[in-house]
Amino acid sequence: MKCTKCPKDAIINLRYNGLNLCRNCFVEYFEKRARVTIRNFNMIDAGDRIAVGLSGGKDSSSLLYFLKNFSEKRRTEILAITIDVGINDRDSKYGKETLKNAKEVCQRHGIEHHIYSFKDETGMTIDEIYAMFKSAKGLNISEQSGVKICSNDVAGGSKGLCTYCGVLRRDLLNKKAKELKCSKLAIAHNLEDEGQTFLMNIVRGDIEKIIWGSGLIKDEQLIPRIKPFIKSPEDEVKLYAKINFPGLNFEHICPYRKDAYRKTFKDILNLLNRRHPGSNFQIFGNNQRLRNLLLKNYKVENVRFCPICGNLCRGEICKRCELLKKIKNNRKIKSKKVKVTDLK
Ligand SMILES: [Zn+2]
Ligand SMILES: [Zn+2]
């Protein structure tokens, strides 16, 4: 298989447009699409100080590397923030390996790196939250043949561990980026992530979530988020990571990541794209079109702000405060139990 653009051997075939690309032409093609995405969505301005949320996985490592090179020719600054969530139970190498990757990526490329502990900020690691809620039966977690399963219920009221981790980690990233005086927060969502989220919102009928992604409602508490890889297919991000980080292992999977609901959408979209290459790009385009149509009829006064922290929210309090409250209450129950046994 020869490269469509030069005489070299191709390393990838893009089924959605028929291109065969060699290593160099692929990197050029991949980076150009991300640059065009940044320009089309006005993601970056001159003088921006951009924090990249770096988990140490393939997506965020690739995004950091890309933005580092991107910023060298422009008047922008890049730094990385890693939240160490504390996932080390059951001999899982996930926590240690991803943290090691994150440090390695920053060291190799001379990038300012800030690491914060999830436990220092919320009072518990993810392992501890899992153990606590499992014993209190307050979390929708089941155990099957030794595999940890964290499932979100279909009606959309997700009570799973992934929700705790996701919401609180996003909140921490925002808080730390603010403390570090950053003007933007870059998140490594790829084309598939966007498609899954969009379809999930459609099935749940969560119109507000579709609209909120547009940035129409200015939330003073939130640093503007940018997603330069929203038009980059996952397998291309994977290849880009493999090319740029030889020797790093990105294969470790979070031991809790069995989010049944999202996984279903991932499987559906994968099947759709195998049979009809390019469907993910169509879904992306139609997401934007639908959002623009909805915006015309949306009343901004529907928006509420959390009375505790001031974040944008829809319930009485925001998801972050709701989760922190649950953690606090469960710790109280636990400490009471300990006192009873102490008396004996
Ligand atoms: Zn080529
Ligand atoms: Zn709140």
Side-chain angles (χ1 to χ4, degrees):
M1 190 168 74
K2 287 286 172 199
C3 177
T4 316
K5 294 175 186 271
C6 80
K8 288 186 191 148
D9 285 333
I11 58 164
I12 188 170
N13 161 253
L14 308 181
R15 288 182 63 219
Y16 53 85
N17 62 10
L19 285 180
N20 300 321
L21 299 173
C22 70
R23 188 188 149 111
N24 288 348
C25 293
F26 166 72
V27 169
E28 206 172 289
Y29 181 86
F30 182 91
E31 292 182 342
K32 187 181 174 190
R33 179 174 45 211
R35 284 197 302 273
V36 170
T37 305
I38 288 173
R39 198 169 58 228
N40 287 349
F41 289 86
N42 294 318
M43 289 181 183
I44 296 176
D45 300 308
D48 264 339
R49 181 168 154 86
I50 304 166
V52 180
L54 177 68
S55 70
K58 66 175 188 334
D59 297 282
S60 60
S61 299
S62 295
L63 179 63
L64 180 65
Y65 175 78
F66 165 77
L67 283 176
K68 167 77 178 160
N69 292 336
F70 178 89
S71 69
E72 262 156 23
K73 295 167 209 132
R74 294 162 182 87
R75 287 195 304 113
T76 49
E77 272 179 84
I78 300 293
L79 60 88
I81 300 178
T82 299
I83 307 295
D84 178 11
V85 290
I87 296 179
N88 296 304
D89 270 7
R90 293 209 179 176
D91 303 323
S92 163
K93 287 182 181 156
Y94 175 78
K96 278 193 193 94
E97 289 294 324
T98 48
L99 191 62
K100 204 175 96 189
N101 280 355
K103 286 179 185 168
E104 177 79 26
V105 166
C106 291
Q107 267 163 19
R108 276 192 202 179
H109 300 285
I111 298 164
E112 183 182 331
H113 191 198
H114 300 265
I115 303 171
Y116 301 97
S117 146
F118 190 84
K119 184 170 182 162
D120 287 349
E121 304 291 332
T122 64
M124 289 188 136
T125 64
I126 286 293
D127 284 337
E128 286 166 350
I129 293 176
Y130 172 77
M132 177 182 74
F133 281 96
K134 202 180 75 173
S135 61
K137 290 197 171 69
L139 196 61
N140 191 10
I141 287 179
S142 60
E143 292 239 354
Q144 281 176 6
S145 59
V147 180
K148 288 172 182 172
I149 291 176
C150 152
S151 61
N152 289 344
D153 71 77
V154 179
S158 47
K159 299 181 185 72
L161 191 65
C162 298
T163 310
Y164 280 79
C165 188
V167 169
L168 296 177
R169 202 172 32 166
R170 268 199 299 277
D171 179 65
L172 274 179
L173 277 176
N174 186 66
K175 185 179 156 195
K176 295 302 171 188
K178 237 172 166 178
E179 284 175 15
L180 293 164
K181 305 211 171 349
C182 295
S183 51
K184 301 274 164 67
L185 177 59
I187 304 291
H189 274 201
N190 60 42
L191 183 67
E192 277 79 353
D193 293 328
E194 285 294 300
Q196 288 157 23
T197 304
F198 174 60
L199 281 195
M200 279 163 70
N201 288 337
I202 290 280
V203 172
R204 286 168 169 166
D206 203 337
I207 303 300
E208 280 165 329
K209 267 205 179 155
I210 296 172
I211 298 173
W212 284 12
S214 66
L216 166 86
I217 302 147
K218 288 279 170 283
D219 187 342
E220 299 292 318
Q221 310 280 333
L222 288 182
I223 289 178
R225 274 152 207 257
I226 56 168
K227 301 173 187 171
F229 284 177
I230 37 170
K231 293 194 82 177
S232 309
E234 188 175 10
D235 52 354
E236 291 176 38
V237 179
K238 207 171 179 177
L239 181 60
Y240 186 74
K242 204 176 148 192
I243 290 171
N244 291 305
F245 303 109
L248 286 198
N249 181 359
F250 293 113
E251 299 301 320
H252 294 286
I253 298 166
C254 176
Y256 299 112
R257 190 157 186 166
K258 288 271 174 180
D259 187 333
Y261 196 53
R262 181 173 279 272
K263 177 75 167 52
T264 308
F265 286 89
K266 192 181 169 95
D267 293 343
I268 292 169
L269 286 179
N270 282 347
L271 177 69
L272 182 68
N273 272 279
R274 265 202 310 278
R275 292 197 182 160
H276 307 282
S279 295
N280 272 342
F281 289 102
Q282 285 179 306
I283 291 172
F284 181 86
N286 290 327
N287 182 3
Q288 306 300 315
R289 285 172 63 196
L290 183 65
R291 186 174 280 170
N292 289 336
L293 280 172
L294 288 171
L295 278 174
K296 287 182 186 158
N297 296 309
Y298 189 71
K299 291 186 181 64
V300 178
E301 58 260 34
N302 294 344
V303 171
R304 295 167 49 90
F305 292 94
C306 173
I308 300 172
C309 70
N311 277 340
L312 207 59
C313 76
R314 285 182 291 179
E316 286 299 312
I317 58 174
C318 77
K319 202 87 191 156
R320 165 196 175 270
C321 293
E322 186 192 309
L323 297 178
L324 285 177
K325 220 170 149 183
K326 271 193 197 171
I327 293 176
K328 231 181 182 173
N329 287 344
N330 266 274
R331 288 176 89 191
K332 267 190 212 153
I333 293 166
K334 210 181 165 191
S335 58
K336 266 183 202 159
K337 275 183 193 161
V338 172
K339 271 174 201 157
V340 173
T341 41
D342 281 348
L343 287 172
K344 282 175 189 170

